[in-house]
Amino acid sequence: MPNKPERPRIAIIGGGTGLPVLLRGLKKYPVDITAIVTVADDGGSSGRLRNELDIPAPGDIRNVLAALSDVEPLVEQMFQHRFASSNELTGHSLGNLIIAAMTSITGDFVHAIQEMCKVLNVRGKVLPSANQSVILHAEMDDGSIVTGESKIPNAGKMIKRVFLSPDNIMPLHETIQEIRQADLIVIGPGSLYTSILPNLLVPNLGAEIRSSKAKKVYICNLMTQAGETLDYTASDHVKAIYGHMGREFISSILVNNEPIPYAVQQRYKEEYAQPVQFDIKSLSALGLEIVEDKIYSFDKHVIRHDTEKVAHILYNMLLDETNRRFIRR
């Protein structure tokens, strides 16, 4: 009988603010983590560096590196520091500048990330979904095309579909290998059209995820997002992913089943956001295993996924999956 693997492997795909929250909890467990991160961001510091230096957007990568780092809090704070002075540094994050500098020194964005992983003592692998700048476009319900990740949510229209350019985007070989070796593949949490789908739409990467024999779990967002998922239910999120990917492939969905406090809902109402409705019948009709729990917490009056709770749920799912595979052998 083969030896049981000591550390199960988990691949997590996303970006934005949701992915780092999840990773902070998961890095405490004895698992091999690979974070596959979008590089479609074109706003703020990331967008400026991307345009001026012709490098992939570093912002989401920076946040993931910080989340998985094992350094003194002051070092992480310095890495995440954003300049507020009224000069050319205004709005830039120090971490973005360091990644840009390391890219210039090494001559390669991925190599720069690998070196930063060493500097920050990162617990896991951090890989961009592509080693080049990608542009996100959205076709709206009126047929118009909006170009740019940062512009899409502000268009004030319903999104019909999103797509990437250029046409010859290729995922990293290492990213493909990590997907193939994963025991559990996690999609989300994050903005559906501007953080999740830009990864899945990278040619070959999405195909590898679809065909993987690993269990695939989607972590549903807690709140809807104006300009992206206004009035979306949990099943609407999944259907949008399937519509872009061409077929059903998700095994499970993790959803929040605890009502969001009224005061919090009122605060988010100003942003035209509301709790994502957990429509169990529609989710069951999609053939999904439904995992439900109270999975939210608050961070400075902002609702987030509870990093400890979600990490614990995923770790147990990962153990169940690796145990089943071991028994089958």
Side-chain angles (χ1 to χ4, degrees), residues 21-34:
V21 170
L22 172 58
L23 293 172
R24 287 186 185 278
L26 198 58
K27 72 178 182 181
K28 300 175 183 177
Y29 289 87
V31 298
D32 282 339
I33 301 171
T34 297

Side-chain angles (χ1 to χ4, degrees), residues 35 44 77 154:
Q77 186 178 352
N154 299 322

